[in-house]
Amino acid sequence: MIAAQLVNKEIPSLSSKDTVAKAIDLMDEYKVSHLPLVDKTEYLGLFSEKFLLEQDEDDTLDMHLGSLVRPFLFEDQHLFDALKLIDAFKISLVPVLSKEEKYIGSFTEYSLADSITSLTAVQQPGGIIILEMEPADYTLMQISQIVEGNDARILACYLTPQQGTNKIEVTLKINREDLSAILQTFTRYNYSVKASFHQSDHDEDMRRRFELFMNYINM
């Protein structure tokens, strides 16, 4: 599933001449703590409710452009990229842009959670490995042999093209939570492991990301 499929057209965007009070009211109405600022089809960034509550409610948003953050996904990015974005920026809503960087719409962390839990493979226990490679190097048979050679099996496999490169991401859901041996084997066969999400990972950042992912799929 890709970002464009999650877009909710009902989520409003803000304009530069909206007041702080109006932005806070919209966030309250749509039960989000962030909303995008959009000029026609140009995405300028996100305002957070926390920041706006500290401002004068009569201010217009164009008075605070320097406080915007600009996280987003392109329309063809995988939903797992949304998880990483939400974790990195601590946002409740993900803006989606076209390949031409035009604003398409947004989706919330709650709709993302619903989409993830709708995937039957995700509902099963296990871990995730994300490989990065050239399309010509992708062979599911060899990847499967590496996983199965470590007494595990692939529950799901997703391919995602990477923006600005000729490479692809191969996201593997595997039926084991301890992926250490599998990761070592991928490294031995010169695969580029971009990320992994599993319980035995001792890197603190990866552990935090894994816990975020597990929280979503257990909702």
Side-chain angles (χ1 to χ4, degrees):
M1 184 174 290
I2 59 174
Q5 295 173 291
L6 298 179
V7 167
N8 182 351
K9 295 292 187 179
E10 294 183 3
I11 297 174
S13 60
L14 302 170
S15 69
S16 296
K17 295 304 179 183
D18 286 337
T19 63
V20 166
K22 179 179 179 180
I24 292 172
D25 286 345
L26 284 171
M27 290 178 187
D28 182 61
E29 180 180 351
Y30 287 87
K31 302 297 186 289
V32 293
S33 54
H34 299 81
L35 278 176
L37 183 68
V38 178
D39 180 9
K40 296 182 180 178
T41 60
E42 181 184 1
Y43 167 60
L44 301 178
L46 282 182
F47 275 116
S48 72
E49 182 181 39
K50 181 180 179 181
F51 170 78
L52 293 177
L53 286 171
E54 297 173 349
Q55 313 308 315
D56 189 314
E57 65 177 15
D58 294 324
D59 285 356
T60 53
L61 298 179
D62 59 2
M63 298 170 62
H64 301 288
L65 297 181
S67 299
L68 288 168
V69 293
R70 200 172 180 270
F72 66 88
L73 291 183
F74 285 107
E75 59 184 325
D76 58 356
Q77 284 187 260
H78 195 274
L79 59 84
F80 289 144
D81 291 324
L83 277 175
K84 292 184 281 187
L85 199 70
I86 287 172
D87 184 34
F89 287 91
K90 310 304 180 192
I91 51 179
S92 61
L93 177 145
V94 177
V96 180
L97 307 186
S98 69
K99 294 178 181 179
E100 296 74 33
E101 297 198 21
K102 303 297 183 182
Y103 180 74
I104 296 174
S106 300
F107 59 87
T108 67
E109 58 184 336
Y110 303 110
S111 63
L112 174 62
D114 288 342
S115 298
I116 290 175
T117 55
S118 70
L119 300 174
T120 56
V122 172
Q123 294 176 24
Q124 301 180 45
I128 290 174
I129 295 175
I130 302 177
L131 305 173
E132 185 178 63
M133 65 187 68
E134 300 288 342
D137 294 332
Y138 172 71
T139 165
L140 184 57
M141 180 177 293
Q142 185 178 63
I143 291 172
S144 298
Q145 287 173 344
I146 289 173
V147 173
E148 292 169 5
N150 285 279
D151 298 320
R153 62 188 178 88
I154 297 173
L155 299 175
C157 177
Y158 308 96
L159 272 62
T160 310
Q162 295 304 288
Q163 291 289 333
T165 74
N166 293 323
K167 294 186 177 181
I168 58 172
E169 277 187 3
V170 180
T171 303
L172 305 171
K173 176 64 188 292
I174 297 171
N175 70 332
R176 281 178 55 179
E177 294 179 350
D178 183 354
L179 302 176
S180 302
I182 299 172
L183 290 170
Q184 290 174 7
T185 307
F186 275 125
T187 301
R188 190 162 65 248
Y189 280 86
N190 295 318
Y191 279 90
S192 174
V193 179
K194 189 171 183 180
S196 62
F197 306 83
H198 65 127
Q199 288 184 337
S200 68
D201 197 329
H202 296 290
D203 182 88
E204 190 59 33
D205 182 59
M206 287 296 101
R207 179 182 297 277
R208 180 167 51 84
R209 291 173 183 270
F210 175 80
E211 290 172 350
L212 172 75
F213 181 83
M214 295 304 295
N215 286 338
Y216 271 110
I217 66 177
N218 288 327
M219 289 180 66

